[in-house]
Amino acid sequence: MTLPVRRRPSAMVRPGTALGARWDPFAQIDDLYDRMDQLIQSAFGGPVEGMWAPLADLRETDEAYVAEIDLPGVKKDDIDVEMNDRELIVTGEIKERETTGRVHRRMRRAGRFEHRVILPGEVDPEQVSATLSEGVLTVTVPKAERARPRHVEVKAGP
């Protein structure tokens, strides 16, 4: 049994365009990224329309949860950090820079952003701290005293 072979157009011609038109793979990648982002946000819940979520890491130490959020070019006055029970909410805005001349490609995001994460254990919301350094916002959320691991000394028996 033979399978049909699908013929592809020339690698340099984008499907659906006139012959000779240049194919821009970066435009297709950007479009794919935007579609995947919309799909994930609609499936799992995400920022409201018009907002985007910055890249972030969440790690846990014995004493705290630490969120590191990439916010290059954002000023500290444009960031808001809130704790609501165990949910960490970071919102703000990256203002679009004014440019002179012709813009050929705009890859950096601008506009309102929101990062939300529910922390896996009990926290002490009164002791939360946040620092912005070299484009990375580090939010440290201490664990509640009763949620921290305790060392139990083993004693010799009689």
Side-chain angles (χ1 to χ4, degrees):
M1 177 172 141
T2 60
L3 296 175
V5 176
R6 182 175 170 194
R7 296 193 183 264
R8 296 178 183 217
S10 169
M12 294 308 291
V13 177
R14 185 176 183 184
T17 62
L19 282 176
R22 295 288 292 173
W23 174 51
D24 182 7
F26 296 109
Q28 284 189 331
I29 291 170
D30 288 342
D31 184 50
L32 179 63
Y33 177 80
D34 289 340
R35 287 181 185 191
M36 290 298 295
D37 189 45
Q38 290 171 359
L39 176 66
I40 290 169
Q41 288 183 19
S42 66
F44 299 108
V48 295
E49 187 66 32
M51 295 183 96
W52 56 276
L55 298 176
D57 292 332
L58 178 66
R59 61 188 168 88
E60 178 180 356
T61 66
D62 287 343
E63 293 81 30
Y65 298 101
V66 181
E68 294 174 323
I69 305 166
D70 288 345
L71 297 173
V74 180
K75 297 179 178 134
K76 69 179 184 87
D77 295 335
D78 294 332
I79 301 170
D80 184 49
V81 179
E82 291 181 30
M83 281 298 302
N84 186 5
D85 291 325
R86 291 181 10 224
E87 184 176 28
L88 172 64
I89 306 164
V90 178
T91 57
E93 182 173 8
I94 294 179
K95 296 187 171 98
E96 193 157 329
R97 296 179 10 187
E98 291 197 24
T99 58
T100 58
R102 188 171 158 198
V103 177
H104 289 276
R105 177 169 288 132
R106 190 173 301 260
M107 304 277 299
R108 293 185 282 177
R109 290 206 168 187
R112 303 235 3 111
F113 63 85
E114 178 180 70
H115 174 75
R116 290 177 172 257
V117 63
I118 296 178
L119 301 172
E122 294 183 51
V123 298
D124 182 359
E126 301 299 321
Q127 301 299 319
V128 175
S129 65
T131 57
L132 181 65
S133 176
E134 298 181 11
V136 177
L137 176 69
T138 303
V139 181
T140 304
V141 183
K143 292 180 180 179
E145 190 63 40
R146 63 179 170 227
R148 293 183 186 177
R150 290 174 179 70
H151 178 74
V152 177
E153 184 180 340
V154 178
K155 298 179 182 178

Short mmCIF file of all heavy atoms in Angstrom, two decimals, residues 3 6 8 18 26 28 30 36 43 45 50 52 59 69 74-75 83 86 109 122 128 132 139 141 152 157:
data_model
loop_
_atom_site.label_atom_id
_atom_site.label_comp_id
_atom_site.label_asym_id
_atom_site.label_seq_id
_atom_site.Cartn_x
_atom_site.Cartn_y
_atom_site.Cartn_z
N LEU A 3 1.25 5.46 0.33
CA LEU A 3 0.60 6.61 0.93
C LEU A 3 0.74 7.80 0.01
O LEU A 3 1.76 7.95 -0.67
CB LEU A 3 1.24 6.93 2.28
CG LEU A 3 1.09 5.84 3.34
CD1 LEU A 3 1.88 6.22 4.58
CD2 LEU A 3 -0.36 5.64 3.69
N ARG A 6 2.25 14.55 0.05
CA ARG A 6 1.77 15.92 0.05
C ARG A 6 2.87 16.82 -0.47
O ARG A 6 3.98 16.82 0.06
CB ARG A 6 1.36 16.34 1.45
CG ARG A 6 0.81 17.71 1.50
CD ARG A 6 0.33 18.04 2.88
NE ARG A 6 0.01 19.46 2.93
CZ ARG A 6 -0.18 20.12 4.02
NH1 ARG A 6 -0.10 19.51 5.17
NH2 ARG A 6 -0.47 21.39 3.99
N ARG A 8 4.62 20.37 -0.99
CA ARG A 8 4.68 21.65 -0.29
C ARG A 8 5.12 22.74 -1.27
O ARG A 8 5.93 22.46 -2.15
CB ARG A 8 5.67 21.59 0.86
CG ARG A 8 5.26 20.62 1.91
CD ARG A 8 6.31 20.59 2.97
NE ARG A 8 5.92 19.59 3.95
CZ ARG A 8 6.12 19.72 5.24
NH1 ARG A 8 6.73 20.75 5.71
NH2 ARG A 8 5.72 18.78 6.07
N ALA A 18 0.97 35.35 -3.11
CA ALA A 18 1.33 35.31 -4.53
C ALA A 18 2.75 34.78 -4.68
O ALA A 18 3.58 34.93 -3.79
CB ALA A 18 1.24 36.71 -5.13
N PHE A 26 9.42 34.67 11.11
CA PHE A 26 9.28 35.29 12.43
C PHE A 26 7.84 35.74 12.67
O PHE A 26 7.33 35.66 13.78
CB PHE A 26 10.25 36.45 12.60
CG PHE A 26 11.68 36.02 12.58
CD1 PHE A 26 12.48 36.32 11.50
CD2 PHE A 26 12.22 35.27 13.63
CE1 PHE A 26 13.81 35.90 11.47
CE2 PHE A 26 13.52 34.85 13.61
CZ PHE A 26 14.33 35.16 12.53
N GLN A 28 5.19 34.26 11.48
CA GLN A 28 4.43 33.06 11.79
C GLN A 28 4.70 32.58 13.21
O GLN A 28 3.79 32.12 13.90
CB GLN A 28 4.75 31.95 10.80
CG GLN A 28 4.10 32.16 9.46
CD GLN A 28 4.24 30.95 8.56
OE1 GLN A 28 5.19 30.19 8.66
NE2 GLN A 28 3.26 30.78 7.68
N ASP A 30 5.58 34.49 15.78
CA ASP A 30 4.87 35.44 16.65
C ASP A 30 3.38 35.12 16.70
O ASP A 30 2.76 35.13 17.76
CB ASP A 30 5.07 36.88 16.18
CG ASP A 30 6.47 37.39 16.44
OD1 ASP A 30 7.17 36.79 17.28
OD2 ASP A 30 6.85 38.40 15.81
N MET A 36 -1.09 30.34 20.97
CA MET A 36 -0.88 29.39 22.07
C MET A 36 -1.13 30.07 23.42
O MET A 36 -1.72 29.48 24.32
CB MET A 36 0.53 28.81 22.03
CG MET A 36 0.77 27.86 20.88
SD MET A 36 -0.29 26.41 20.94
CE MET A 36 0.31 25.63 22.42
N ALA A 43 -7.93 28.18 28.60
CA ALA A 43 -8.14 26.85 29.18
C ALA A 43 -7.92 26.83 30.68
O ALA A 43 -8.66 26.17 31.42
CB ALA A 43 -7.22 25.84 28.51
N GLY A 45 -7.43 29.67 32.72
CA GLY A 45 -7.68 30.93 33.39
C GLY A 45 -6.41 31.73 33.43
O GLY A 45 -5.34 31.21 33.65
N GLY A 50 -6.30 41.77 27.21
CA GLY A 50 -5.41 42.91 27.08
C GLY A 50 -4.23 42.87 28.03
O GLY A 50 -3.33 43.69 27.93
N TRP A 52 -1.02 40.57 29.90
CA TRP A 52 -0.15 39.44 29.62
C TRP A 52 0.58 39.08 30.88
O TRP A 52 0.63 39.85 31.84
CB TRP A 52 0.80 39.75 28.47
CG TRP A 52 1.64 40.98 28.69
CD1 TRP A 52 1.29 42.26 28.45
CD2 TRP A 52 2.96 41.01 29.24
NE1 TRP A 52 2.30 43.09 28.82
CE2 TRP A 52 3.34 42.36 29.29
CE3 TRP A 52 3.84 40.03 29.67
CZ2 TRP A 52 4.59 42.75 29.77
CZ3 TRP A 52 5.08 40.43 30.14
CH2 TRP A 52 5.44 41.78 30.18
N ARG A 59 10.22 29.17 43.66
CA ARG A 59 10.99 28.14 44.37
C ARG A 59 10.65 28.21 45.85
O ARG A 59 10.09 29.20 46.32
CB ARG A 59 12.48 28.27 44.12
CG ARG A 59 13.09 29.55 44.55
CD ARG A 59 14.56 29.65 44.07
NE ARG A 59 15.06 30.99 44.24
CZ ARG A 59 15.63 31.45 45.34
NH1 ARG A 59 15.78 30.65 46.38
NH2 ARG A 59 16.06 32.69 45.42
N ILE A 69 10.38 37.21 38.99
CA ILE A 69 9.57 37.58 37.84
C ILE A 69 10.37 38.50 36.94
O ILE A 69 10.89 39.53 37.40
CB ILE A 69 8.26 38.26 38.31
CG1 ILE A 69 7.53 37.35 39.29
CG2 ILE A 69 7.39 38.63 37.14
CD1 ILE A 69 6.44 38.02 40.08
N VAL A 74 11.10 47.84 33.70
CA VAL A 74 9.98 48.34 34.50
C VAL A 74 10.52 49.08 35.72
O VAL A 74 11.46 48.63 36.37
CB VAL A 74 9.07 47.17 34.96
CG1 VAL A 74 7.91 47.69 35.78
CG2 VAL A 74 8.56 46.41 33.76
N LYS A 75 9.91 50.21 36.02
CA LYS A 75 10.30 50.97 37.21
C LYS A 75 9.52 50.44 38.41
O LYS A 75 8.39 49.97 38.27
CB LYS A 75 10.00 52.44 37.00
CG LYS A 75 10.80 53.04 35.87
CD LYS A 75 10.45 54.49 35.68
CE LYS A 75 11.31 55.03 34.56
NZ LYS A 75 10.60 55.82 33.61
N MET A 83 -0.82 40.34 48.47
CA MET A 83 -1.05 38.99 48.99
C MET A 83 -2.51 38.91 49.40
O MET A 83 -3.02 39.78 50.09
CB MET A 83 -0.19 38.71 50.22
CG MET A 83 1.25 38.37 49.94
SD MET A 83 1.51 36.88 48.96
CE MET A 83 0.72 35.62 49.93
N ARG A 86 -3.28 32.94 50.34
CA ARG A 86 -2.06 32.30 49.83
C ARG A 86 -1.76 32.70 48.40
O ARG A 86 -0.84 32.18 47.79
CB ARG A 86 -2.20 30.77 49.90
CG ARG A 86 -2.22 30.23 51.30
CD ARG A 86 -2.34 28.71 51.34
NE ARG A 86 -2.18 28.05 50.07
CZ ARG A 86 -2.95 27.06 49.64
NH1 ARG A 86 -3.95 26.62 50.37
NH2 ARG A 86 -2.75 26.49 48.47
N ARG A 109 7.25 43.16 24.80
CA ARG A 109 5.86 43.41 25.20
C ARG A 109 5.75 44.73 25.93
O ARG A 109 6.66 45.15 26.63
CB ARG A 109 5.37 42.30 26.10
CG ARG A 109 5.19 41.01 25.35
CD ARG A 109 4.18 40.18 26.01
NE ARG A 109 3.81 39.09 25.13
CZ ARG A 109 2.85 38.26 25.40
NH1 ARG A 109 2.18 38.37 26.51
NH2 ARG A 109 2.55 37.30 24.58
N GLU A 122 0.95 27.36 53.97
CA GLU A 122 0.58 28.52 54.77
C GLU A 122 1.71 29.54 54.77
O GLU A 122 2.88 29.18 54.82
CB GLU A 122 0.26 28.09 56.20
CG GLU A 122 -0.97 27.21 56.29
CD GLU A 122 -1.28 26.88 57.73
OE1 GLU A 122 -1.35 27.81 58.55
OE2 GLU A 122 -1.44 25.69 58.02
N VAL A 128 5.98 39.80 53.92
CA VAL A 128 6.35 39.70 52.50
C VAL A 128 7.28 40.85 52.13
O VAL A 128 7.08 41.99 52.55
CB VAL A 128 5.10 39.72 51.61
CG1 VAL A 128 5.46 39.73 50.14
CG2 VAL A 128 4.20 38.54 51.93
N LEU A 132 13.47 44.85 43.38
CA LEU A 132 13.64 44.89 41.94
C LEU A 132 15.10 45.18 41.65
O LEU A 132 15.62 46.22 42.05
CB LEU A 132 12.74 45.97 41.32
CG LEU A 132 12.79 46.11 39.81
CD1 LEU A 132 12.26 44.85 39.13
CD2 LEU A 132 11.99 47.33 39.36
N VAL A 139 10.16 38.38 44.93
CA VAL A 139 9.19 38.50 46.01
C VAL A 139 9.40 37.31 46.95
O VAL A 139 9.33 36.16 46.53
CB VAL A 139 7.73 38.50 45.49
CG1 VAL A 139 6.75 38.65 46.64
CG2 VAL A 139 7.54 39.59 44.45
N VAL A 141 8.07 35.39 50.23
CA VAL A 141 6.90 35.23 51.08
C VAL A 141 7.24 34.20 52.15
O VAL A 141 7.31 33.01 51.87
CB VAL A 141 5.68 34.75 50.26
CG1 VAL A 141 4.44 34.65 51.15
CG2 VAL A 141 5.43 35.66 49.06
N VAL A 152 13.81 17.72 65.10
CA VAL A 152 13.48 17.04 66.36
C VAL A 152 14.73 16.29 66.82
O VAL A 152 15.27 15.47 66.09
CB VAL A 152 12.31 16.05 66.18
CG1 VAL A 152 12.03 15.30 67.47
CG2 VAL A 152 11.08 16.80 65.68
N GLY A 157 17.55 6.56 75.04
CA GLY A 157 16.55 6.00 75.96
C GLY A 157 17.21 5.41 77.21
O GLY A 157 18.43 5.35 77.32
#
